[in-house]
Amino acid sequence: MTIDDMRNDLSIKGKNGISFLLSASVIWLIITIIFMQSIEIAQKNIWMLFSTGLMFPLSIGISYVLKAEWKFDNNALGSLGLYLNLAQIIYFPILFWSMLKSPYDAIMIFAIITGAHFFAYGWLYHAKPYYIAAPVIAISMMFLGLYTHADNLWLIPLLMAGFLLILTIALNMDYRKTGKRM
């Protein structure tokens, strides 16, 4: 099996990772609700981090409903998806720094990290929407963060959830097109 065959296999069986994106959309909507609350920014940031703990169990449940595989024992590239996701955690010291030194910017930095980490999935799933979404999300979140007042920080996670849903739709269309080629 060639690398392209393995990538296409991941794309089809894993449905381009859309179960994880749907899970992330739910989490970013939860973060939106958190940032709409009238509690201190430090509390919002802590609840934001806690909400990410839902990612894996929610993704597994959505994968089950969508009949998408997320474990690929027979594909050598299968574990790469996990490593690419774990690579995102390497950027968390920047997030933790911002939570301590610039707490109002933490939500923006988290959104930039999340958006930018999608780029590598373009290669893994052989899906162009990831290549497009990663820089669009990262740059959009930066500009939104630069021009959003502290009272309206909830706009950042709301837009992030919107971007994730658009990306999910684009990846679903790509998945259907890839499935027809196979």
Side-chain angles (χ1 to χ4, degrees), residues 42-131:
Q43 294 269 297
K44 291 177 183 181
N45 287 333
I46 289 169
W47 283 108
M48 172 183 69
L49 283 181
F50 282 162
S51 68
T52 63
L54 297 171
M55 183 66 180
F56 191 67
L58 196 53
S59 298
I60 299 306
I62 293 172
S63 291
Y64 178 76
V65 170
L66 296 178
K67 296 177 176 61
E69 290 184 33
W70 60 273
K71 250 178 119 176
F72 300 97
D73 297 329
N74 59 344
N75 188 321
L77 293 178
S79 59
L80 181 58
L82 174 65
Y83 293 129
L84 292 175
N85 201 37
L86 291 175
Q88 176 186 14
I89 295 171
I90 294 169
Y91 296 102
F92 274 33
I94 299 168
L95 177 61
F96 297 146
W97 173 87
S98 70
M99 289 175 73
L100 296 171
K101 295 291 187 177
S102 187
Y104 289 96
D105 293 328
I107 186 70
M108 173 194 64
I109 289 169
F110 189 36
I112 291 170
I113 291 169
T114 300
H117 102 283
F118 292 136
F119 193 78
Y121 289 98
W123 182 87
L124 181 68
Y125 288 117
H126 216 214
K128 289 179 184 167
Y130 279 118
Y131 288 128

